[in-house]
Amino acid sequence: MLPAPHDTYADCEFIRHDLTVRGLISVGITDRAGRDYYAVNADMDEHYVRHSGDEAAVWLRQHVWPLLPLTADLALDRAHPDVKPADRIRQEIAAYYASRAGARMWAYFGAGDLIRIHGLWDHDWGLMPDNVPYRPRELADLIEDFHITAPAQQTPEHHALNDAHYNRLMHDVALAELAGAAALTGCPRLDRAALAELVTNCLARSATPGRGRTVEELIKVMPDWLAADIDAHEPDLATLHGGAIVARRRYEQNLAQWITAFAAQRPGPQ
């Protein structure tokens, strides 16, 4: 199955017992084109995270807090551009999804992430914009149900945007493996929904998508022999597409690691 044009990938860091806005620590969202959103919640319960003796707070101090923008005394750096009040985060997430009608939000064990995002609107779907996804697409189910071997994460975990990027990589790997399996079994997808999905993805990658026609309009004017031919080759196209995406993501991660390591090895000014 090819990815949908408006697939997005999200992750949140949060105080697990607090479903209010104060329980949101940070949020990261990305999409298939690499458009990123990241914010740290200035209205979080900082006192709990920094000073509580609860096991959950200790874990947050060890794994999440060091990855946030901090001052010299390890307080949240409220002057940092990533640190924003919850009202602004709500507005910016609404703007992120404003042009993404029908967007899907993929996450790993994503119920907690989605609850925190919906919490920006007090969990009221009447207040939340329609384009903000109402439910998560669960990567854990996809990986477990189809026995996908997910690659190890190469960036620091528990940073919301790093984890959102990794969610996208896991989805890419899953799609590539599923497409490869479909091609090996010789089971072309002949259903109309599959054809609509393929045309949708072609439109998303075209500089002049269909001269203004909708997906259904294009399918109607497509000759039967062409529709059948495209559908017959769709598994092979999906395999190539998925493999290319995975290779690109891994290249980006390896390049970032190399740049970071190289910068760390350079001697400072004499």
Side-chain angles (χ1 to χ4, degrees), residues 79-153:
H80 193 281
D82 289 339
V83 180
K84 307 170 184 180
D87 285 347
R88 182 177 168 192
I89 295 173
R90 178 175 62 249
Q91 294 168 5
E92 291 179 347
I93 290 179
Y96 185 92
Y97 282 103
S99 61
R100 293 173 168 83
R104 305 190 298 189
M105 180 187 291
W106 289 88
Y108 190 70
F109 290 94
D113 303 301
L114 194 75
I115 286 173
R116 268 63 188 196
I117 291 174
H118 287 189
L120 293 165
W121 288 272
D122 294 326
H123 308 285
D124 186 341
W125 287 359
L127 298 175
M128 190 174 72
D130 290 339
N131 283 3
V132 177
Y134 281 53
R135 63 185 177 92
R137 301 295 179 114
E138 184 50 68
L139 285 166
D141 288 341
L142 184 65
I143 290 169
E144 180 180 342
D145 291 347
F146 294 97
H147 307 287
I148 304 297
T149 302
Q153 185 168 344

